[in-house]
Amino acid sequence: MDGTVLQQTSDTDAQREAVIRVRNLTNQFGSQVVHQNLNLDVWRGEVLGIVGGSGTGKSVLLRTIVGLNKPAAGSIEVLGVDVLNGPEQERRRIEKRWGVAFQDGALFSSLTVLQNVMAPLREHTGLSEKLMQALGSLKISLVGLPQLSCEKFPSELSGGMRKRAALARALALDPEIVFLDEPTAGLDPIGAAAYDELIGELQHALGLTVFMVTHDLDSLYAICNRVAVLAEKRVLVEGRIEEMTKVDHPWVQEYFTGPRARAAQEKGHDR
């Protein structure tokens, strides 16, 4: 890989399963090259935090992996399936095995919370209306929303509740992988901490693999097993968060050794 991997190879590492493999990825918009020869592995069962400065393409990488952006070059495998060039039927099948919660929730404004959560079930399953409603209600409870929220529209919810509703929709099909784009952006510290705790609990209880784009140092220290830093159009470095301070790069040093990082680290140790 072209990124620096800080973790030493061990027998445990060799036995890990990469559920996402990105190789030699290039993303380009006109003359602007966002990523070039980017490589990344995501291990089953981990929470991987994707960080980087503004314009490094964190959300672009997420959107490319889930098929919302077509790269200029490279390959992407998710759960063993080539999601760029594989058969359409295989790609459709694999899409049922991941869920996505976008930064702003991306909920359908004309649908209630329950209808939003039922949307993936309606698209990908042949379940009865009654069963879809029951499953949707279950997912809404799972993310800590009251049942009264089922009949509310997104505009009637707080920002934190919309994020939880989006997470419930991402979990609708019982995915193996969940993609989160800036999940705590716009939340107050208490709401952000509660959301981090929820993600940690769900990841542990459901055995999820979590791919999380974030700038929130508190989230990184609270729930991430590893961190991948995007810089210089690639994954510059990846490894455990406590190892990031050893990286001799100006942005990495400033981000992981500054006062906010020290405060987040102390808070993470207290949890």
Side-chain angles (χ1 to χ4, degrees):
M1 295 179 64
D2 61 1
T4 302
V5 181
L6 292 177
Q7 291 175 299
Q8 297 295 316
T9 301
S10 66
D11 292 340
T12 301
D13 292 333
Q15 295 170 3
R16 285 178 171 175
E17 177 189 356
V19 294
I20 300 174
R21 292 183 184 273
V22 180
R23 293 292 181 271
N24 301 316
L25 185 72
T26 297
N27 275 311
Q28 184 171 354
F29 302 96
S31 60
Q32 181 187 8
V33 178
V34 179
H35 303 133
Q36 190 167 37
N37 296 324
L38 182 152
N39 296 288
L40 179 67
D41 286 332
V42 181
W43 305 110
R44 180 178 292 280
E46 75 170 344
V47 180
L48 177 68
I50 306 295
V51 302
S54 177
T56 54
K58 302 181 292 295
S59 294
V60 171
L61 177 58
L62 184 156
R63 293 172 64 86
T64 303
I65 293 173
V66 301
L68 297 177
N69 175 67
K70 187 169 179 60
S75 65
I76 301 173
E77 285 188 8
V78 180
L79 297 168
V81 173
D82 181 347
V83 296
L84 295 180
N85 304 303
E88 177 67 22
Q89 184 176 359
E90 280 288 286
R91 284 182 284 162
R92 290 284 294 173
R93 180 182 61 80
I94 212 69
E95 287 176 1
K96 301 178 186 179
R97 298 171 67 185
W98 72 56
V100 186
F102 294 102
Q103 181 174 343
D104 59 358
L107 297 170
F108 299 114
S109 60
S110 61
L111 301 181
T112 65
V113 169
L114 180 57
Q115 290 169 337
N116 266 282
V117 177
M118 288 169 57
L121 296 168
R122 198 179 302 281
E123 180 180 358
H124 292 289
T125 75
L127 299 176
S128 68
E129 189 75 11
K130 184 176 181 180
L131 185 52
M132 286 192 293
Q133 289 178 351
L135 289 173
S137 179
L138 175 63
K139 302 301 180 181
I140 289 168
S141 295
L142 194 63
V143 300
L145 287 175
Q147 284 301 300
L148 287 174
S149 65
C150 288
E151 301 310 314
K152 292 185 179 294
F153 290 93
S155 62
E156 299 175 298
L157 302 178
S158 67
M161 292 178 73
R162 283 196 298 272
K163 288 179 181 292
R164 288 176 182 254
L167 179 59
R169 185 175 64 181
L171 295 173
L173 295 172
D174 296 323
E176 297 171 51
I177 305 171
V178 173
F179 295 89
L180 304 175
D181 191 1
E182 297 284 6
T184 58
L187 297 181
D188 62 77
I190 295 175
Y195 194 95
D196 286 339
E197 184 177 358
L198 172 64
I199 294 299
E201 290 174 352
L202 291 174
Q203 186 275 333
H204 180 74
L206 304 177
L208 299 171
T209 302
V210 180
F211 181 105
M212 182 171 68
V213 171
T214 186
H215 69 280
D216 192 333
L217 282 158
D218 288 341
S219 297
L220 294 176
Y221 279 99
I223 60 174
C224 288
N225 304 114
R226 287 194 309 134
V227 176
V229 178
L230 298 189
E232 301 174 10
K233 302 178 182 178
R234 61 190 175 95
V235 174
L236 178 76
V237 60
E238 59 182 273
R240 294 188 298 272
I241 189 168
E242 60 268 21
E243 298 174 312
M244 292 296 113
T245 57
K246 304 173 185 177
V247 179
D248 185 18
H249 185 275
W251 189 89
V252 179
Q253 280 292 311
E254 183 176 0
Y255 189 75
F256 286 100
T257 64
R260 294 183 67 183
R262 291 194 295 272
Q265 184 177 13
E266 292 175 5
K267 189 183 297 184
H269 287 160
D270 291 340
R271 291 180 179 176

